[in-house]
mmCIF file of all heavy atoms in Angstrom:
data_model
loop_
_atom_site.group_PDB
_atom_site.id
_atom_site.type_symbol
_atom_site.label_atom_id
_atom_site.label_comp_id
_atom_site.label_asym_id
_atom_site.label_seq_id
_atom_site.Cartn_x
_atom_site.Cartn_y
_atom_site.Cartn_z
ATOM 1 N N ASN M 19 8.808 -4.143 -21.078
ATOM 2 C CA ASN M 19 10.091 -4.306 -21.741
ATOM 3 C C ASN M 19 11.247 -3.818 -20.844
ATOM 4 O O ASN M 19 12.329 -4.398 -20.773
ATOM 5 C CB ASN M 19 10.057 -3.563 -23.096
ATOM 6 C CG ASN M 19 9.233 -4.280 -24.109
ATOM 7 O OD1 ASN M 19 9.011 -5.492 -24.021
ATOM 8 N ND2 ASN M 19 8.754 -3.535 -25.063
ATOM 9 N N LYS M 29 -7.318 0.012 -10.770
ATOM 10 C CA LYS M 29 -8.739 -0.238 -10.708
ATOM 11 C C LYS M 29 -9.444 1.068 -10.409
ATOM 12 O O LYS M 29 -9.717 1.433 -9.235
ATOM 13 C CB LYS M 29 -9.036 -1.301 -9.628
ATOM 14 C CG LYS M 29 -10.470 -1.741 -9.572
ATOM 15 C CD LYS M 29 -10.659 -2.855 -8.586
ATOM 16 C CE LYS M 29 -12.073 -3.349 -8.477
ATOM 17 N NZ LYS M 29 -12.572 -3.953 -9.724
ATOM 18 N N ASP M 37 -6.327 8.474 -10.174
ATOM 19 C CA ASP M 37 -5.022 7.848 -10.056
ATOM 20 C C ASP M 37 -4.464 7.645 -11.465
ATOM 21 O O ASP M 37 -5.209 7.390 -12.404
ATOM 22 C CB ASP M 37 -5.100 6.461 -9.354
ATOM 23 C CG ASP M 37 -5.378 6.545 -7.897
ATOM 24 O OD1 ASP M 37 -5.524 7.659 -7.376
ATOM 25 O OD2 ASP M 37 -5.469 5.503 -7.271
ATOM 26 N N ILE M 50 9.506 6.148 -13.507
ATOM 27 C CA ILE M 50 8.196 5.627 -13.344
ATOM 28 C C ILE M 50 7.524 6.356 -12.161
ATOM 29 O O ILE M 50 8.118 6.689 -11.192
ATOM 30 C CB ILE M 50 8.240 4.101 -13.107
ATOM 31 C CG1 ILE M 50 6.869 3.508 -13.140
ATOM 32 C CG2 ILE M 50 8.991 3.751 -11.801
ATOM 33 C CD1 ILE M 50 6.860 1.998 -13.323
ATOM 34 N N VAL M 51 6.208 6.614 -12.365
ATOM 35 C CA VAL M 51 5.422 7.478 -11.515
ATOM 36 C C VAL M 51 4.133 6.772 -11.080
ATOM 37 O O VAL M 51 3.504 6.096 -11.915
ATOM 38 C CB VAL M 51 5.128 8.816 -12.199
ATOM 39 C CG1 VAL M 51 4.081 9.597 -11.416
ATOM 40 C CG2 VAL M 51 6.358 9.643 -12.445
ATOM 41 N N GLY M 57 -9.685 13.933 -5.612
ATOM 42 C CA GLY M 57 -10.930 13.511 -6.215
ATOM 43 C C GLY M 57 -10.773 12.249 -7.114
ATOM 44 O O GLY M 57 -9.717 11.690 -7.261
ATOM 45 N N HIS M 58 -11.906 11.801 -7.652
ATOM 46 C CA HIS M 58 -11.942 10.744 -8.590
ATOM 47 C C HIS M 58 -12.955 11.113 -9.696
ATOM 48 O O HIS M 58 -13.477 12.247 -9.692
ATOM 49 C CB HIS M 58 -12.322 9.406 -7.908
ATOM 50 C CG HIS M 58 -13.404 9.524 -6.868
ATOM 51 N ND1 HIS M 58 -14.721 9.782 -7.184
ATOM 52 C CD2 HIS M 58 -13.344 9.512 -5.533
ATOM 53 C CE1 HIS M 58 -15.448 9.854 -6.154
ATOM 54 N NE2 HIS M 58 -14.621 9.736 -5.071
ATOM 55 N N VAL M 60 -14.459 12.495 -13.047
ATOM 56 C CA VAL M 60 -14.031 13.530 -14.005
ATOM 57 C C VAL M 60 -13.066 14.553 -13.410
ATOM 58 O O VAL M 60 -12.050 14.890 -14.025
ATOM 59 C CB VAL M 60 -15.291 14.193 -14.639
ATOM 60 C CG1 VAL M 60 -14.877 15.419 -15.492
ATOM 61 C CG2 VAL M 60 -16.085 13.255 -15.475
ATOM 62 N N GLY M 69 -1.432 16.472 -15.159
ATOM 63 C CA GLY M 69 -0.174 15.868 -14.645
ATOM 64 C C GLY M 69 0.596 15.131 -15.632
ATOM 65 O O GLY M 69 1.880 15.292 -15.803
ATOM 66 N N LEU M 92 6.975 20.025 -11.599
ATOM 67 C CA LEU M 92 5.562 19.633 -11.729
ATOM 68 C C LEU M 92 4.692 20.540 -10.856
ATOM 69 O O LEU M 92 3.630 21.005 -11.251
ATOM 70 C CB LEU M 92 5.399 18.191 -11.360
ATOM 71 C CG LEU M 92 4.022 17.566 -11.416
ATOM 72 C CD1 LEU M 92 3.445 17.630 -12.840
ATOM 73 C CD2 LEU M 92 3.998 16.130 -10.937
ATOM 74 N N ILE M 96 1.740 22.972 -12.173
ATOM 75 C CA ILE M 96 0.375 22.900 -11.693
ATOM 76 C C ILE M 96 -0.090 24.238 -11.189
ATOM 77 O O ILE M 96 -1.228 24.687 -11.494
ATOM 78 C CB ILE M 96 0.254 21.779 -10.617
ATOM 79 C CG1 ILE M 96 0.467 20.408 -11.211
ATOM 80 C CG2 ILE M 96 -1.070 21.917 -9.890
ATOM 81 C CD1 ILE M 96 -0.704 19.910 -11.972
ATOM 82 N N TYR M 103 -5.937 29.270 -15.544
ATOM 83 C CA TYR M 103 -7.221 28.764 -16.061
ATOM 84 C C TYR M 103 -8.333 28.592 -14.990
ATOM 85 O O TYR M 103 -9.491 28.540 -15.362
ATOM 86 C CB TYR M 103 -7.063 27.396 -16.707
ATOM 87 C CG TYR M 103 -6.131 27.442 -17.940
ATOM 88 C CD1 TYR M 103 -4.869 26.797 -17.862
ATOM 89 C CD2 TYR M 103 -6.520 28.082 -19.064
ATOM 90 C CE1 TYR M 103 -4.037 26.848 -18.991
ATOM 91 C CE2 TYR M 103 -5.695 28.139 -20.171
ATOM 92 C CZ TYR M 103 -4.452 27.532 -20.154
ATOM 93 O OH TYR M 103 -3.620 27.546 -21.263
ATOM 94 N N THR M 120 13.499 7.192 -10.363
ATOM 95 C CA THR M 120 14.424 7.136 -11.492
ATOM 96 C C THR M 120 15.360 6.027 -11.320
ATOM 97 O O THR M 120 16.079 5.984 -10.260
ATOM 98 C CB THR M 120 15.126 8.487 -11.651
ATOM 99 O OG1 THR M 120 14.146 9.534 -11.924
ATOM 100 C CG2 THR M 120 16.122 8.463 -12.776
ATOM 101 N N SER M 129 16.686 6.341 -7.515
ATOM 102 C CA SER M 129 16.383 7.639 -6.834
ATOM 103 C C SER M 129 14.875 7.776 -6.719
ATOM 104 O O SER M 129 14.124 7.555 -7.651
ATOM 105 C CB SER M 129 16.989 8.782 -7.658
ATOM 106 O OG SER M 129 18.400 8.570 -7.831
ATOM 107 N N PHE M 153 3.908 17.473 1.811
ATOM 108 C CA PHE M 153 3.033 18.427 1.129
ATOM 109 C C PHE M 153 2.769 17.911 -0.280
ATOM 110 O O PHE M 153 3.583 17.143 -0.798
ATOM 111 C CB PHE M 153 3.633 19.851 1.120
ATOM 112 C CG PHE M 153 5.117 19.916 0.760
ATOM 113 C CD1 PHE M 153 5.525 19.867 -0.585
ATOM 114 C CD2 PHE M 153 6.059 19.978 1.733
ATOM 115 C CE1 PHE M 153 6.843 19.974 -0.908
ATOM 116 C CE2 PHE M 153 7.416 20.080 1.396
ATOM 117 C CZ PHE M 153 7.821 20.057 0.061
ATOM 118 N N ILE M 155 1.685 18.007 -4.511
ATOM 119 C CA ILE M 155 1.847 18.811 -5.773
ATOM 120 C C ILE M 155 0.606 19.636 -5.908
ATOM 121 O O ILE M 155 -0.527 19.152 -5.832
ATOM 122 C CB ILE M 155 1.985 17.895 -7.003
ATOM 123 C CG1 ILE M 155 3.262 17.016 -6.839
ATOM 124 C CG2 ILE M 155 1.995 18.719 -8.272
ATOM 125 C CD1 ILE M 155 4.558 17.775 -6.935
ATOM 126 N N SER M 160 -2.093 26.518 1.269
ATOM 127 C CA SER M 160 -2.324 26.096 2.622
ATOM 128 C C SER M 160 -1.175 25.270 3.192
ATOM 129 O O SER M 160 -1.152 24.944 4.368
ATOM 130 C CB SER M 160 -3.637 25.277 2.741
ATOM 131 O OG SER M 160 -3.596 24.171 1.867
ATOM 132 N N TYR M 161 -0.199 24.938 2.345
ATOM 133 C CA TYR M 161 0.940 24.112 2.796
ATOM 134 C C TYR M 161 2.211 24.980 2.772
ATOM 135 O O TYR M 161 2.463 25.745 1.843
ATOM 136 C CB TYR M 161 1.175 22.907 1.899
ATOM 137 C CG TYR M 161 0.084 21.896 1.999
ATOM 138 C CD1 TYR M 161 -1.055 21.957 1.109
ATOM 139 C CD2 TYR M 161 0.100 20.853 2.854
ATOM 140 C CE1 TYR M 161 -2.065 21.040 1.209
ATOM 141 C CE2 TYR M 161 -0.940 19.925 2.957
ATOM 142 C CZ TYR M 161 -1.990 20.017 2.095
ATOM 143 O OH TYR M 161 -3.021 19.058 2.185
ATOM 144 N N GLY M 191 -14.251 -2.464 4.593
ATOM 145 C CA GLY M 191 -14.695 -3.840 4.293
ATOM 146 C C GLY M 191 -14.401 -4.764 5.502
ATOM 147 O O GLY M 191 -14.320 -4.283 6.629
ATOM 148 N N MET M 199 -6.467 -0.211 6.184
ATOM 149 C CA MET M 199 -5.382 0.416 6.932
ATOM 150 C C MET M 199 -3.951 0.052 6.412
ATOM 151 O O MET M 199 -3.770 -0.990 5.807
ATOM 152 C CB MET M 199 -5.436 0.101 8.448
ATOM 153 C CG MET M 199 -6.776 0.573 9.064
ATOM 154 S SD MET M 199 -7.112 2.354 8.950
ATOM 155 C CE MET M 199 -5.847 2.959 10.131
ATOM 156 N N TRP M 229 -11.843 -8.278 0.741
ATOM 157 C CA TRP M 229 -12.040 -7.335 1.812
ATOM 158 C C TRP M 229 -13.279 -6.442 1.558
ATOM 159 O O TRP M 229 -14.059 -6.176 2.464
ATOM 160 C CB TRP M 229 -10.797 -6.467 1.940
ATOM 161 C CG TRP M 229 -10.919 -5.352 2.951
ATOM 162 C CD1 TRP M 229 -11.207 -4.061 2.775
ATOM 163 C CD2 TRP M 229 -10.793 -5.538 4.375
ATOM 164 N NE1 TRP M 229 -11.247 -3.395 3.935
ATOM 165 C CE2 TRP M 229 -10.999 -4.299 4.977
ATOM 166 C CE3 TRP M 229 -10.521 -6.647 5.195
ATOM 167 C CZ2 TRP M 229 -10.924 -4.098 6.367
ATOM 168 C CZ3 TRP M 229 -10.444 -6.453 6.576
ATOM 169 C CH2 TRP M 229 -10.709 -5.196 7.105
ATOM 170 N N GLU M 232 -19.435 -6.628 -0.278
ATOM 171 C CA GLU M 232 -20.562 -5.944 -0.907
ATOM 172 C C GLU M 232 -20.489 -4.404 -0.730
ATOM 173 O O GLU M 232 -21.346 -3.709 -1.234
ATOM 174 C CB GLU M 232 -21.875 -6.417 -0.232
ATOM 175 C CG GLU M 232 -22.136 -7.935 -0.453
ATOM 176 C CD GLU M 232 -22.215 -8.276 -1.938
ATOM 177 O OE1 GLU M 232 -22.823 -7.495 -2.713
ATOM 178 O OE2 GLU M 232 -21.656 -9.305 -2.336
ATOM 179 N N ILE M 241 -1.515 0.292 -7.608
ATOM 180 C CA ILE M 241 -0.316 -0.263 -7.030
ATOM 181 C C ILE M 241 0.631 -0.646 -8.146
ATOM 182 O O ILE M 241 0.269 -1.342 -9.091
ATOM 183 C CB ILE M 241 -0.597 -1.465 -6.183
ATOM 184 C CG1 ILE M 241 -1.678 -1.193 -5.097
ATOM 185 C CG2 ILE M 241 0.664 -2.030 -5.556
ATOM 186 C CD1 ILE M 241 -2.194 -2.458 -4.397
#
Side-chain angles (χ1 to χ4, degrees):
N19 288 336
K29 188 176 178 64
D37 287 2
I50 190 162
V51 168
H58 40 72
V60 172
L92 181 61
I96 290 284
Y103 297 111
T120 296
S129 303
F153 47 82
I155 298 293
S160 57
Y161 293 90
M199 302 299 288
W229 177 259
E232 298 301 317
I241 305 169

